[in-house]
Amino acid sequence: MEHLQYPNESEGYRIARNRLLEEEIKLRAQIEAVAARRRALPLGGEVPWDYVFERIGDNLMPQKVRMSELFGPHDTMILYSFMYGPERDSPCSGCTHLLDGIDGAARHLTQRAAFHVVAKSPIARLMALARERGWQHMSLLSTAGNCYDGDYFGDTTKLSKAMRLQHSVPVGKNWDETIFNVFKKRNGKIHHFWGSEMAFARPVPGQHHRAGDMADPLWNLLDMTPEGRGETWFPEVEY
């Protein structure tokens, strides 16, 4: 197999790089295989409620909208739970940097599937943040007043006792969580299809519990560098 060669690279560098390239090719195949298995999943459970969310309408006033109306022309919808409840003085910095990256992709994504960001804060507060961040392409919805967050693990309220222990949620305490959930509309009914559950899975020694890296340009770009992500660095809302 022929490989690229950069100016003045050593033979040792090229040998090591070629070996790494082989592993990268294997990883690509594994990612594609996992994605194929994800697409082959049977439909999950039927959504128990036609949840009512709040959004800003075309008249720039808050309006109620049902989950069934959020699909638009599509049969598939992605909802991202954003950790920015009314009890938070500022949004989760991890969620915020992720959404900074996703906003530009949203106008392309919505050619294939509906996409909305949901959070517990009132819609006016969410829109104020969107203006501050310069988000232009994402649809933001408030879940204030519905039970979507608990049902689909955008918060910790419906974790089992064992899951609360595993996830270090103290008795009597709850908080909002970040998770992607995908829904499919078929024959007039809405079904859950997939959720980014790895964040709630049994901890694996030596692995971080993160679950949304595949959608995160920041971490993927840093993984290309010799310094990597760093052991302690984490993005902030403001610098």
Side-chain angles (χ1 to χ4, degrees):
M1 183 186 297
E2 291 295 321
H3 295 290
L4 298 178
Q5 284 195 301
Y6 293 97
N8 299 319
E9 67 179 26
S10 68
E11 181 182 2
Y13 173 87
R14 180 45 48 193
I15 290 172
R17 180 63 188 98
N18 289 352
R19 287 173 179 166
L20 174 61
L21 181 58
E22 292 174 0
E23 296 303 314
E24 290 172 338
I25 292 170
K26 291 177 185 176
L27 177 60
R28 179 178 63 189
Q30 177 67 5
I31 290 171
E32 292 174 354
V34 169
R37 292 186 66 174
R38 185 183 299 117
R39 293 192 298 272
L41 282 171
L43 285 180
E46 184 177 350
V47 172
W49 312 102
D50 196 1
Y51 300 98
V52 177
F53 299 86
E54 191 170 57
R55 68 181 175 189
I56 294 296
D58 293 336
N59 61 357
L60 302 182
M61 296 295 292
Q63 66 175 205
K64 303 294 184 182
V65 58
R66 293 188 176 276
M67 187 177 195
S68 56
E69 300 174 291
L70 295 175
F71 285 79
H74 304 293
D75 293 326
T76 298
M77 177 170 66
I78 304 168
L79 296 186
Y80 173 71
S81 292
F82 176 30
M83 296 168 66
Y84 189 34
E87 76 285 353
R88 290 179 177 269
D89 293 331
S90 61
C92 164
S93 61
C95 296
T96 302
H97 93 264
L98 173 63
L99 292 177
D100 284 343
I102 288 179
D103 181 62
R107 55 181 163 174
H108 307 293
L109 171 61
T110 51
Q111 303 303 306
R112 296 272 295 168
F115 175 68
H116 306 276
V117 177
V118 302
K120 289 186 171 187
S121 280
I123 189 62
R125 190 179 191 221
L126 297 179
M127 297 309 296
L129 177 68
R131 288 191 294 272
E132 178 185 321
R133 303 302 298 181
W135 296 338
Q136 299 181 30
H137 305 294
M138 292 184 298
S139 165
L140 274 69
L141 306 171
S142 173
T143 59
N146 72 27
C147 57
Y148 171 83
D149 298 291
D151 290 346
Y152 289 96
F153 306 106
D155 66 30
T156 59
T157 57
K158 292 192 177 180
L159 292 180
S160 66
K161 288 183 179 180
M163 287 291 293
R164 290 176 73 87
L165 180 64
Q166 180 174 285
H167 205 53
S168 301
V169 182
V171 175
K173 297 237 180 196
N174 285 293
W175 51 72
D176 48 7
E177 281 287 352
T178 175
I179 189 169
F180 287 91
N181 279 295
V182 181
F183 298 89
K184 184 73 176 178
K185 186 187 287 186
R186 183 174 294 173
N187 298 326
K189 296 180 179 180
I190 301 172
H191 292 259
H192 187 253
F193 175 72
W194 177 86
S196 54
E197 298 178 31
M198 274 202 299
F200 296 95
R202 176 181 57 82
V204 177
Q207 284 192 14
H208 191 278
H209 70 280
R210 57 185 182 263
D213 281 20
M214 295 297 290
D216 194 321
L218 173 64
W219 295 135
N220 281 282
L221 286 167
L222 286 175
D223 280 347
M224 299 178 188
T225 69
E227 297 80 13
R229 304 177 183 205
E231 294 298 322
T232 60
W233 184 83
F234 198 75
E236 299 178 11
V237 175
E238 298 291 347
Y239 298 97

